[in-house]
């Protein structure tokens, strides 16, 4: 069974850092782009980072300069380093994988999703 399992979320104060991990298993994700999304109640799920197979990256203006996506292929794991966290970063964060060639912005273009991990930033 294909699995994407997020971990590393928690409760932190504004200005702190967290590193989220997405452990993948069950298939070869070669050729896929890997993304992190986040969602809060009443809001649409929004992309916060994408790592293309070419190793190009995408970040929206809301997190650019603060978040960094990376991968370790030997561990089949994708990471999201989050620095200078703000209260507005509070959300459930999801790892997702999609096949190359489609827009990274739409949640409908992703084949696999993790269960999500809660990030809460206080003050």
């Amino acid at each position: 069974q294909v699995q994407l399992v997020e971990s590393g979320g928690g409760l932190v104060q504004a200005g702190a850092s967290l590193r989220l991990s997405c452990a993948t298993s069950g298939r070869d994700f070669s050729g896929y782009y890997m993304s992190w999304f986040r969602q809060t109640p009443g809001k649409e799920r929004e992309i916060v980072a994408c790592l293309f197979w070419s190793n190009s990256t995408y970040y929206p203006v809301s997190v650019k300069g603060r978040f960094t996506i990376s991968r370790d292929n030997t561990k089949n794991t994708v990471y999201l380093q989050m620095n200078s966290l703000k209260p507005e970063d509070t959300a459930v964060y999801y790892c997702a994988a999609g096949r190359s060639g489609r827009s990274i912005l739409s949640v409908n273009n992703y084949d696999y999703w993790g269960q999500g991990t809660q990030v809460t930033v206080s003050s």
Side-chain angles (χ1 to χ4, degrees):
Q1 182 180 5
V2 175
Q3 284 191 310
L4 278 64
V5 181
E6 303 96 333
S7 62
L11 173 62
V12 299
Q13 295 186 28
S17 297
L18 282 174
R19 189 181 74 164
L20 306 183
S21 298
C22 173
T24 70
S25 61
R27 71 154 296 146
D28 182 6
F29 286 96
S30 298
Y32 281 69
Y33 51 80
M34 305 297 297
S35 297
W36 288 92
F37 283 76
R38 67 186 181 189
Q39 187 170 27
T40 57
K43 296 182 179 180
E44 294 183 347
R45 192 170 297 187
E46 64 174 351
I47 192 169
V48 295
C50 180
L51 178 60
F52 296 94
W53 185 242
S54 65
N55 288 321
S56 295
T57 57
Y58 165 84
Y59 306 95
V61 67
S62 59
V63 308
K64 190 175 180 63
R66 299 188 298 119
F67 290 11
T68 303
I69 187 171
S70 62
R71 66 160 66 93
D72 184 342
N73 288 330
T74 65
K75 299 180 179 179
N76 299 314
T77 299
V78 179
Y79 303 97
L80 182 67
Q81 179 67 45
M82 304 185 295
N83 298 326
S84 302
L85 284 164
K86 305 174 180 179
E88 51 261 45
D89 295 320
T90 295
V92 177
Y93 283 72
Y94 299 89
C95 179
R99 293 186 178 183
S100 298
R102 297 293 185 181
S103 173
I104 64 172
L105 302 181
S106 174
V107 297
N108 297 318
N109 291 333
Y110 290 82
D111 297 324
Y112 305 103
W113 291 89
Q115 85 288 352
T117 185
Q118 177 71 47
V119 172
T120 302
V121 185
S122 65
S123 300

